[in-house]
Amino acid sequence: IMFPSEVIWGLFFIFQISIGFMGNSLLFMLCVCIFLDKNHLKKPIDLICIHLTSVNALTILFKLIPDIVSSFGVKHFLDDVGCKATLYIYRVTRGLSICTTALLSGYQAITISPIHSRWAWLRSKLSTCIYSSFLFFWITNMLIYSYIIETVEANHNVTIVGLEYSTLHCQTSQLRQNHSVAFGSVVIIRDLLFVILMMWSSLYTVNLLYKHRQRAQHIHSPSLSPQSSPEIKATHTILLLVSCFVFFHCSNNFIVFYVFHKPEKDSRLKRITGIFSSCYPTVCPFVLLKNSKITSKLTSSLSKLRIIFS
């Protein structure tokens, strides 16, 4: 039996997955066009954006598609193997999104740092560290969430009571307490490390922007105006992106923590968790598209492609 409220939830999930997947696909294709078409202008930030949009799109798909199916009355459509695969890919790609956002924030902070800064020596090494950073992120997150393969099983229409993690279609099996505590501790430590990196790079960037504005006002030079620098505009975009990430990530973790410790699991709270966990991947491409530098590159690349194909 389908209830009107479940249909509304399902329609909202469809709207969110459509907007998020479309935005990430658009930015992904744009960055790929820039990366391939303007070979002499390509920068590591283009590669970081390609990786970020890829993992964001996968996060949205593997989180919201099962929720959409459940909302339209198809219950228990995932068996144990399906639950393990779906939740594992979702958690790995979500972890990769966290790591890549921190890398993007750190990259932008180093890019705009002054020549005499203590971090200036890293600028020449950025392009060589991108691929090794991606490899490190993938291996780390795949190892962390291998715990899911062992513990997750399908939700067999049983009322879940107590300290158990569950979604609309999956739940954790009963295992020893010390295993779950160790897994939770590792995830929290990883999140804290990368969030601290984001906050540090953001504060460092804000301090640089403030000093830049003060210097521009002091000498009244139009060439130092923050609006005239593409790097400054890109930095504003990254700061907005980090702010969105911190807000949605903290909000989602708070809801998950509340649901985990709630004696009886509420399906509405599970759906709200799904919405908040997909908000950042949905908003991310549109925040990055605000960057006039990316937009101008995109317009130029599309114009050239249109001329070639015509």
Side-chain angles (χ1 to χ4, degrees):
I1 299 176
M2 288 180 59
F3 299 99
S5 60
E6 292 184 342
V7 175
I8 293 173
W9 282 111
L11 293 175
F12 187 86
F13 287 142
I14 291 175
F15 172 77
Q16 187 177 16
I17 197 174
S18 301
I19 297 297
F21 188 76
M22 179 185 67
N24 282 286
S25 300
L26 174 62
L27 184 58
F28 175 81
M29 290 186 293
L30 264 182
C31 290
V32 169
C33 287
I34 293 170
F35 196 76
L36 297 178
D37 181 46
K38 296 190 174 184
N39 195 44
H40 62 290
L41 293 178
K42 65 181 181 181
K43 294 182 178 181
I45 194 170
D46 297 324
L47 196 59
I48 297 174
C49 287
I50 290 173
H51 188 262
L52 182 59
T53 52
S54 301
V55 297
N56 280 345
L58 290 174
T59 301
I60 294 171
L61 290 177
F62 281 92
K63 178 57 182 176
L64 292 184
I65 287 180
D67 291 350
I68 290 172
V69 177
S70 297
S71 298
F72 283 100
V74 183
K75 307 296 183 183
H76 317 299
F77 68 98
L78 288 176
D79 58 7
D80 290 347
V81 175
C83 272
K84 293 176 188 294
T86 302
L87 197 57
Y88 178 73
I89 296 174
Y90 158 67
R91 297 299 299 185
V92 169
T93 54
R94 186 170 181 267
L96 288 170
S97 181
I98 297 171
C99 299
T100 310
T101 303
L103 177 64
L104 183 62
S105 176
Y107 168 83
Q108 194 62 31
I110 294 172
T111 300
I112 68 168
S113 61
I115 299 176
H116 54 79
S117 169
R118 70 179 66 178
W119 310 109
W121 65 274
L122 288 171
R123 197 176 303 169
S124 60
K125 301 180 181 297
L126 286 175
S127 57
T128 59
C129 296
I130 297 297
Y131 291 103
S132 58
S133 298
F134 290 162
L135 180 62
F136 172 74
F137 294 159
W138 275 93
I139 292 175
T140 301
N141 284 281
M142 290 176 71
L143 289 176
I144 289 175
Y145 291 110
S146 60
Y147 176 80
I148 289 177
I149 299 176
E150 181 184 359
T151 59
V152 171
E153 61 185 19
N155 190 341
H156 301 294
N157 199 22
V158 178
T159 301
I160 302 173
V161 179
L163 300 179
E164 291 292 333
Y165 175 80
S166 65
T167 64
L168 292 173
H169 42 84
C170 301
Q171 65 186 42
T172 55
S173 58
Q174 297 284 347
L175 284 182
R176 288 180 295 179
Q177 184 72 16
N178 58 341
H179 285 181
S180 59
V181 171
F183 169 72
S185 301
V186 171
V187 173
I188 290 173
I189 291 172
R190 184 213 58 189
D191 286 356
L192 283 176
L193 286 176
F194 284 101
V195 169
I196 289 172
L197 174 60
M198 287 185 214
M199 299 303 295
W200 171 83
S201 59
S202 298
L203 292 174
Y204 177 75
T205 301
V206 168
N207 182 50
L208 287 179
L209 291 178
Y210 176 76
K211 290 180 179 179
H212 181 90
R213 183 180 293 273
Q214 292 293 104
R215 188 167 66 253
Q217 292 176 351
H218 177 70
I219 65 177
H220 304 286
S221 173
S223 63
L224 288 177
S225 175
Q227 284 76 17
S228 63
S229 171
E231 285 74 17
I232 298 297
K233 293 179 181 179
T235 301
H236 290 159
T237 301
I238 303 303
L239 289 175
L240 178 59
L241 185 69
V242 170
S243 300
C244 291
F245 170 82
V246 172
F247 172 75
F248 288 123
H249 186 70
C250 293
S251 300
N252 179 68
N253 285 346
F254 175 78
I255 298 173
V256 169
F257 183 81
Y258 176 74
V259 172
F260 180 79
H261 288 85
K262 199 172 185 293
E264 294 185 3
K265 312 305 178 184
D266 190 349
S267 61
R268 288 176 298 179
L269 288 176
K270 294 178 184 179
R271 290 187 171 94
I272 292 174
T273 303
I275 291 173
F276 270 92
S277 63
S278 304
C279 277
Y280 171 71
T282 301
V283 171
C284 175
F286 299 101
V287 174
L288 290 175
L289 284 171
K290 274 184 83 277
N291 187 352
S292 59
K293 190 175 181 181
I294 293 178
T295 305
S296 61
K297 282 184 177 182
L298 172 63
T299 304
S300 176
S301 299
L302 291 178
S303 300
K304 284 189 175 182
L305 288 174
R306 186 169 60 250
I307 293 172
I308 292 172
F309 285 113
S310 61

